[in-house]
Amino acid sequence: MNNKVRTRFAPSPTGMLHIGGVRTALFAYLFARAHDGDFILRLEDTDRERFVEDGVEQIIQSLDWIGIHPDEGMWYEEKPGKHGPYIQSERLPHYQKFAKELVDKELAYYSCISPEEFMSLREEAIASKKPFIYKQSMEPIHNADVSTDLPIRLKVSDGITSWHDEIRGEAKTSNELIDDFVILKADGFPTYNFANVIDDHLMEITHVIRGDEFISTTAKHALLYDTLGFERPKWAHAPAILGPDGKKKLSKRDGDVDILDYKAKGYLPEALLNFLALLGWNDGTEKELFSLEELVTSFDLQRVQKSPAKFDIVRLNWMNGEYIRKLSLNDLSEKVRSFVPKEWYVNQDYFEKVLALDKDRMKRLDEAKFIMEIFFDTPKIDLDLLTKKDSKEDVQKWLEAAIDVLKECDFQHDSIESVLRELTEKLGIKTGQLFYVLRVSLTGRTEAPGLFDILVTLGKEESLRRLNNAIIKKA
């Protein structure tokens, strides 16, 4: 086998690519990069009944957006490599050749049992409360001339199949618990287990990094490698990803959705990639924010944990906010463009001024419209909210007094702060009382940027207009 490290991501386009799949691709990508190796993208599309046409394009778009680009394999245009094609349905002759060689060596056989007979045997085993393990001895009696339009099963010999996991250590399975499993179906298409092994061998894959749901089939893969006389790759099974409660596997409800949905919600690819890397791996320090280059330098399979990782949306949102704050105003302005009304960009200087004020409050790009709209649209004032803490009469008196002092102010930050603090002393009230009333009058909200920043950003004319509107509303 090629000594150069070669990893692969081999999704099945039977649906949209989700969080778990991207995390697997990322681990394989990082390992290859960390060892100056190659990362291959292969599509395993032999499950024709569940094949989703749009799934192929979605896989490519998802990996492209998040920044996981293959060195060779399936892409917008197939990336060159000597091991193509990289779509299994285009590789059928390979599988058929190896399957028939196994039959010729009497290491596999054409299975004559009908689906009805197979189900009958299975039901008998269930009724007897015994495990159903299909072996060649269960095959019905048939004529010597066996039709080749039959599925081919691997003949599993007695003994123990052991293998090593780079993350979990040693594992073994008794062959008595392994069926004579189908490797080539009657229609000439391979099963997942067979195609997976043939392709990994022919593509010189040295490390198979995948999710722990494949642990149960690894013994079959090891058997196939040995039976075919292939050198085994090294296997590494990443931990499962659990939902926020840490009890059950991540579901669509918890966030295991089409990865491009995260793009639509305003997550930055760099943040999501960083977050996924830490789902089951860490570098042994308290560091949480990594660039892709830092992840490549730090990544080590020995630091991948065995226990499941919890998908924490709060942590993802925090991390995304950190990456948003790293952006320049110009870059952030471009990234939020698709999330806000285009007319907001008419005055680019004002837009970026508002963006600078709200940047630290943003955890996702799709929050930009709600957070920023108070500076572009006159808010509706809720009288109950405005007078929640103090009487209607007091609120109106304070607003009138604030308008009077602000009219004479030069509307610089420090000047505004000075005149309003002096006003609270004159009125004999706490600063929080006045500032609450002014903030709600200006924005219609209790949560907003600092009051003085709001006034400076809106400017004197707009600020006074809004304060006057609040008085009129109560009159």
Side-chain angles (χ1 to χ4, degrees), residues 381 383 386 392 395-404 437 441 464-475:
I381 308 302
L383 181 57
L386 188 62
K392 183 176 178 180
V395 167
Q396 177 146 342
K397 180 176 68 175
W398 300 343
L399 279 171
E400 290 171 343
I403 290 170
D404 287 340
V437 168
S441 297
L464 293 176
R465 185 183 72 80
R466 292 190 182 192
L467 294 176
N468 272 301
N469 281 348
I471 291 176
I472 294 169
K473 182 176 180 63
K474 302 191 321 320

Side-chain angles (χ1 to χ4, degrees), residues 313-331:
I313 191 66
V314 174
R315 187 185 190 198
L316 172 57
N317 288 338
W318 166 80
M319 193 172 284
N320 201 59
E322 292 295 310
Y323 275 86
I324 286 174
R325 284 185 277 282
K326 288 182 179 183
L327 295 172
S328 68
L329 276 180
N330 185 62
D331 286 345

Side-chain angles (χ1 to χ4, degrees), residues 136-298:
Q136 189 177 17
S137 59
M138 299 179 183
E139 282 283 308
I141 298 173
H142 54 75
N143 296 325
D145 296 329
V146 176
S147 169
T148 56
D149 294 329
L150 291 170
I152 296 176
R153 291 180 181 272
L154 184 74
K155 189 184 297 183
V156 178
S157 59
D158 296 336
I160 299 290
T161 297
S162 17
W163 52 279
H164 177 78
D165 190 300
E166 297 296 302
I167 296 171
R168 300 163 189 274
E170 301 302 320
K172 62 182 180 180
T173 300
S174 170
N175 291 0
E176 292 180 1
L177 301 176
I178 303 176
D179 287 270
D180 283 3
F181 54 95
V182 174
I183 57 176
L184 197 73
K185 292 176 282 188
D187 61 4
F189 275 76
T191 57
Y192 162 78
N193 291 319
F194 191 58
N196 179 281
V197 167
I198 299 299
D199 287 342
D200 283 344
H201 170 72
L202 294 179
M203 294 181 184
E204 300 182 345
I205 301 302
T206 61
H207 294 76
V208 175
I209 300 171
R210 56 193 180 191
D212 68 353
E213 66 269 24
F214 293 102
I215 291 176
S216 62
T217 60
T218 304
K220 291 182 178 180
H221 298 170
L223 267 173
L224 279 167
Y225 273 97
D226 297 346
T227 305
L228 288 159
F230 297 162
E231 181 182 348
R232 293 183 183 184
K234 293 183 178 179
W235 286 291
H237 292 91
I241 302 175
L242 302 181
D245 63 0
K247 296 179 180 179
K248 62 180 186 302
K249 196 169 181 179
L250 186 68
S251 66
K252 289 183 179 181
R253 181 178 180 181
D254 298 322
D256 191 25
V257 296
D258 178 347
I259 201 70
L260 293 178
D261 284 352
Y262 287 91
K263 178 181 181 181
K265 291 177 181 178
Y267 288 96
L268 298 177
E270 301 85 355
L272 186 57
L273 187 145
N274 188 160
F275 174 76
L276 291 177
L278 298 180
L279 283 179
W281 171 87
N282 67 76
D283 70 340
T285 72
E286 298 298 317
K287 183 178 175 69
E288 292 193 84
L289 300 178
F290 293 82
S291 67
L292 180 56
E293 293 73 21
E294 289 172 328
L295 287 172
V296 168
T297 301
S298 304

Side-chain angles (χ1 to χ4, degrees), residues 73-117:
M74 184 65 191
W75 203 238
Y76 293 106
E77 292 183 4
E78 189 165 279
K79 289 199 170 186
K82 64 180 181 179
H83 304 288
Y86 297 91
I87 302 176
Q88 283 187 339
S89 59
E90 298 176 8
R91 298 174 58 82
L92 298 185
H94 292 298
Y95 315 127
Q96 293 164 356
K97 168 182 173 290
F98 282 105
K100 288 174 182 177
E101 285 180 2
L102 290 176
V103 171
D104 291 341
K105 294 177 181 179
E106 297 186 351
L107 298 172
Y109 58 91
Y110 289 102
S111 181
C112 299
I113 191 167
S114 68
E116 294 77 18
E117 290 172 314

Side-chain angles (χ1 to χ4, degrees), residues 432-446:
Q433 290 177 284
L434 177 63
F435 293 177
Y436 173 87
V437 168
L438 294 178
R439 181 176 289 106
V440 173
S441 297
L442 292 166
T443 68
R445 301 174 184 173
T446 57

